[in-house]
Amino acid sequence: MTPPTIKTRTGSVRLREDGIIHVLVLPGMKETKEDAQESLRAALQVSGGKRRPVLVDLRKMQAQERDAREIYRGPETAQFASAAALLVESRISKLIANFFMAIVRAQIVIKIFTDEAEAVEWLQDFHE
C-alpha cells in the first residue's frame, strides 16, 4: 500500500517506497513561517515516528521568509530527519539551500544536489 501524500499550500510531502521523505515545493512558491510549520507537521506525520532521510526539492521555489528558516532550525526537524538532500537548480534556490544548511547543520547532515538520482543514492546511507 502506497503511503498517502500530504498536500500543503506550497507543495507536498510523502513517504517514498524506499523510506525517504520527499518534500516537493511547487513552482513560484514563497514560503512563509506558517508554510514551514505546515510542512514540518506533514513531514512528522509521514515519518511514522521514525527519523528518516529527506529529499527536499527546492528547484522551483521562488523565496523563503527568514521566519520560515527559523522554523526549520528548531528541534522539530531533527525529530523526523536523519539527513537532508536539497535539490536545487537556480541561483535563488541555491541561496535558499545555503540558508537552510547554515541554520540546521548542527542538527542533521545536509548536502546540496542538482541531480535527483545522486541525491537519492547519497540518502540511502542515512536510514536509521
Side-chain angles (χ1 to χ4, degrees), residues 6 10 12 14 18-19 22 27 33 45 49 53 55 57 63-64 72-73 78 86 109 111 115 125-126:
I6 298 176
T10 57
S12 62
R14 70 182 176 94
D18 59 6
H22 186 191
K33 175 182 178 181
Q45 185 176 340
L55 176 65
D57 190 338
Q64 185 182 60
Y72 292 121
R73 183 170 56 174
L86 308 179
V109 178
K111 190 170 179 180
D115 182 88
D125 291 335
F126 295 96

Side-chain angles (χ1 to χ4, degrees), residues 5-106:
T5 297
I6 298 176
K7 302 287 184 183
T8 65
R9 187 188 78 80
T10 57
S12 62
V13 180
R14 70 182 176 94
L15 182 61
R16 296 166 32 127
E17 289 184 17
D18 59 6
I20 294 173
I21 297 171
H22 186 191
V23 178
L24 174 65
V25 179
L26 295 171
M29 287 289 112
K30 295 179 181 178
E31 190 176 46
T32 66
K33 175 182 178 181
E34 291 77 18
D35 296 326
Q37 290 169 329
E38 181 183 28
S39 291
L40 282 180
R41 284 191 302 271
L44 280 166
Q45 185 176 340
V46 302
S47 74
K50 182 178 177 183
R51 284 174 34 104
R52 300 176 181 273
V54 181
L55 176 65
V56 184
D57 190 338
L58 301 170
R59 291 179 285 191
K60 302 296 181 187
M61 177 184 269
Q62 185 175 5
Q64 185 182 60
E65 292 179 357
R66 181 174 184 244
D67 287 346
R69 292 189 298 272
E70 291 293 322
I71 295 298
Y72 292 121
R73 183 170 56 174
E76 292 84 5
T77 299
Q79 287 178 355
F80 67 84
S82 58
L86 308 179
L87 284 174
V88 300
E89 75 176 1
S90 70
R91 199 175 111 236
I92 295 293
S93 60
K94 284 181 184 177
L95 179 64
I96 292 168
N98 283 324
F99 277 130
F100 189 84
M101 285 182 67
I103 61 175
V104 296
R105 182 182 349 217

Side-chain angles (χ1 to χ4, degrees), residues 55 59 87 113-124:
L55 176 65
R59 291 179 285 191
L87 284 174
F113 293 87
T114 56
D115 182 88
E116 185 169 344
E118 288 178 15
V120 169
E121 182 179 337
W122 179 78
L123 286 171
Q124 296 304 325

